[in-house]
Amino acid sequence: MKPEDTAVVVVEPAPVPVVRQHNAITQARYDYTACQLDIFFYLLSRLRRDDTPDQEYTIYVKDVEALTGRQWNYQQLREATADMGSRMFEVENERTYQQLWMFQRVEYIKGKGCLQIQLAAPIRPFLFNLKENFTSYQLHSALKLSSKYAKRIYQLVSQWKDKASTRTYPLDEFKQMLHLKDPKGKEPELFQNISQLKARVLDIAVRQVSEHTDLKIDYELVKKGRAYDAVRFTIARQHPQQLPIPFEQPAEDARAFAARQHLDTLGITQPQLVATILGDPKHLDQLFKFTYQLKTDKVKATKNPGGLFLKICGLR
């Protein structure tokens, strides 16, 4: 394992409110790709308090694609989980430190379009702690964000969602958390110019989080002398623009719920048609595929996309 893959987190001994507990996964320095963050947030959504220690979590690739509007192939997913599994999180307090890894096992089921993940037992409490900072809607929103920096910043600001602003992050600390700066100086620093940091990270994150989530955010750069030294985010709650995916339900129910939303968007509301589509696995697969292609402009149907989908399914 490379030393630079280690994430060091110091847990402060003083008690703090639960919503802002010093969480190893949120505060750690790591550089997850968009694909890895999609896996991470979707996996987080499947956690239940009554899960057994050896619980296996099944992730269907098409479900993630339908939620995110992005397409991942098996090779990308294998590389993503392999890299995630190799990352070490180090959690330190006054007496001890722990070295933690994410996965106990990842299994790809050939021909099924799914993977099964078993979490390493020691990291489970940290993941549950992190999940408590998110509602179902927020997890759904996180999957909708396309920028990996927007996803990470959304994690940070969600810890402060009951306040008007976050704490002030020194720029060095903030950059290290987003893997823009190596604390050991072995890797070149990204976006050293403040205008680059604003354009490539902060402005994009603020726009995406404010457009797609329950939080409207902005940022303030703080000067020390003549140079910018820190950043903090202002936060305001806003009414969700879309219904959340009910992650508390079993995976099959959540999939059906997502399918109903897609059908409603396509204008397909006739009860008999809806029942026919929901009751046929092939139609469901076609629905998620069609929705993805429609979002990515691979299908052109500006006038009547619902009619085109029904024609593809042989229902019209």
Side-chain angles (χ1 to χ4, degrees), residues 29-300:
R29 168 185 174 268
Y30 59 88
D31 182 27
Y32 276 0
T33 64
C35 180
Q36 290 170 331
L37 285 168
D38 283 349
I39 294 171
F40 175 74
F41 278 113
Y42 194 83
L43 180 61
L44 197 67
S45 75
R46 303 251 56 92
L47 297 182
R48 303 290 180 272
R49 279 292 179 186
D50 57 354
D51 290 345
T52 60
D54 59 348
Q55 181 79 35
E56 290 185 347
Y57 301 93
T58 301
I59 297 179
Y60 287 92
V61 178
K62 289 183 179 179
D63 288 350
V64 179
E65 290 177 346
L67 286 171
T68 63
R70 291 181 291 279
Q71 195 166 23
W72 306 114
N73 59 47
Y74 255 16
Q75 185 60 33
Q76 288 174 304
L77 292 171
R78 288 181 65 176
E79 292 174 358
T81 54
D83 186 59
M84 291 171 73
S86 70
R87 301 295 179 96
M88 182 180 73
F89 297 94
E90 191 167 89
V91 185
E92 184 177 351
N93 59 31
E94 290 181 317
R95 297 180 296 105
T96 64
Y97 66 84
Q98 297 182 65
Q99 294 177 335
L100 306 172
W101 287 265
M102 185 75 70
F103 302 137
Q104 177 71 27
R105 182 178 64 86
V106 179
E107 182 176 354
Y108 287 82
I109 312 301
K110 295 180 179 179
K112 297 292 185 179
C114 69
L115 58 152
Q116 293 180 334
I117 293 176
Q118 187 176 357
L119 294 170
I123 205 167
R124 290 170 60 86
F126 295 97
L127 294 177
F128 279 112
N129 176 267
L130 176 59
K131 183 176 180 178
E132 288 174 356
N133 288 331
F134 292 91
T135 65
S136 293
Y137 177 80
Q138 291 171 317
L139 287 167
H140 181 224
S141 299
L143 286 165
K144 286 291 186 182
L145 302 174
S146 60
S147 163
K148 66 178 182 179
Y149 301 125
K151 291 175 186 283
R152 288 288 282 124
I153 288 172
Y154 184 53
Q155 282 182 279
L156 293 178
V157 298
S158 290
Q159 295 180 92
W160 302 85
K161 58 182 178 284
D162 62 332
K163 299 293 183 181
S165 67
T166 67
R167 71 176 177 88
T168 300
Y169 295 93
L171 279 181
D172 280 349
E173 177 188 350
F174 178 72
K175 286 185 174 182
Q176 288 170 20
M177 292 171 67
L178 269 65
H179 202 77
L180 300 174
K181 183 175 183 178
D182 182 0
K184 298 180 180 179
K186 294 183 178 180
E187 300 174 8
E189 181 179 347
L190 300 178
F191 313 133
Q192 296 185 48
N193 187 294
I194 198 68
S195 61
Q196 291 179 320
L197 182 67
K198 290 170 64 176
R200 302 288 294 277
V201 178
L202 295 171
D203 290 344
I204 292 174
V206 164
R207 183 175 67 252
Q208 289 194 7
V209 170
S210 297
E211 287 180 358
H212 298 295
T213 79
D214 59 326
L215 301 179
K216 184 176 181 61
I217 68 170
D218 205 344
Y219 65 89
E220 300 174 2
L221 289 167
V222 181
K223 277 189 173 182
K224 184 177 182 180
R226 302 179 65 180
Y228 289 107
D229 179 67
V231 62
R232 63 174 167 264
F233 295 89
T234 58
I235 307 166
R237 291 177 181 267
Q238 59 182 357
H239 185 69
Q241 298 300 309
Q242 53 187 316
L243 292 174
I245 296 295
F247 284 126
E248 286 73 19
Q249 297 180 6
E252 295 78 9
D253 293 344
R255 179 175 168 84
F257 186 92
R260 286 181 182 276
Q261 285 188 303
H262 291 323
L263 290 174
D264 188 62
T265 300
L266 293 172
I268 301 173
T269 58
Q270 185 179 344
Q272 186 175 353
L273 275 176
V274 171
T276 298
I277 294 168
L278 294 180
D280 189 326
K282 290 184 179 180
H283 288 335
L284 280 177
D285 288 344
Q286 288 175 317
L287 174 62
F288 285 113
K289 180 180 179 180
F290 181 81
T291 302
Y292 170 78
Q293 291 177 332
L294 198 63
K295 287 181 179 178
T296 55
D297 292 326
K298 293 182 179 179
V299 169
K300 303 294 183 182

